[in-house]
Amino acid sequence: MQSQSGVPSAALQGCLEVCSRCKAVVETLAISDRDGSVYRVVGPHVRHCLDHFLAFLTGLPEGRIDYDARERDPGVETDPNKALDVLDMVTVRLEGLSLSESDQAISVVQLACPDAAPSMVPSSVDRELIFLSSH
């Protein structure tokens, strides 16, 4: 979501920064964590966060984000190189968002209570990007 000056919105900048920092950590572990013992601890969280980004990007074209329907790729948890591939893809897709999508009204579907049906609430692209960058 580039502004007229070509600068991404603050919400998008936050997500791009999170992806950049995550990539730096995963790259370091891909090189230095020879037995994978550290990545086995970090990998599940990396996968969890990337799953949320992917759910957002998947639902965005139809304006309906369902974080509970995210696909969980166990390969991202165990293989830092696979995580890097997904991080690169997410980054490219985020960089391709347009400013017109920033205010786009969207709906978010998510289970709010284990014994209730999923809730659908109004949101915006920027609001969800802020959620993703803090996740």
Side-chain angles (χ1 to χ4, degrees):
M1 290 178 293
Q2 304 291 322
S3 68
Q4 291 175 349
S5 65
V7 177
S9 71
L12 180 56
Q13 285 179 33
C15 286
L16 293 171
E17 180 64 26
V18 164
C19 288
S20 176
R21 290 179 184 192
C22 187
K23 184 175 180 177
V25 169
V26 174
E27 283 176 334
T28 299
L29 292 175
I31 295 166
S32 64
D33 185 28
R34 302 260 182 234
D35 67 356
S37 60
V38 176
Y39 193 74
R40 278 194 295 276
V41 175
V42 174
H45 188 67
V46 169
R47 189 244 344 125
H48 176 79
C49 292
L50 286 172
D51 289 349
H52 279 78
F53 275 100
L54 292 170
F56 168 79
L57 291 167
T58 298
L60 188 57
E62 64 186 60
R64 185 177 184 271
I65 313 300
D66 186 345
Y67 292 115
D68 293 326
R70 64 191 186 275
E71 295 181 25
R72 293 159 174 88
D73 184 348
V76 172
E77 288 186 21
T78 58
D79 182 355
N81 291 311
K82 185 163 188 170
L84 290 169
D85 289 344
V86 175
L87 273 164
D88 286 342
M89 185 270 298
V90 165
T91 299
V92 166
R93 290 191 56 197
L94 288 172
E95 290 171 340
L97 294 178
S98 68
L99 182 60
S100 64
E101 291 170 303
S102 176
D103 316 349
Q104 179 183 339
I106 57 175
S107 297
V108 175
V109 178
Q110 197 163 12
L111 189 62
C113 176
D115 296 329
S119 299
M120 183 179 295
V121 295
S123 190
S124 70
V125 170
D126 267 351
R127 172 63 196 105
E128 294 311 305
L129 288 172
I130 291 167
F131 162 72
L132 291 169
S133 69
S134 70
H135 197 79

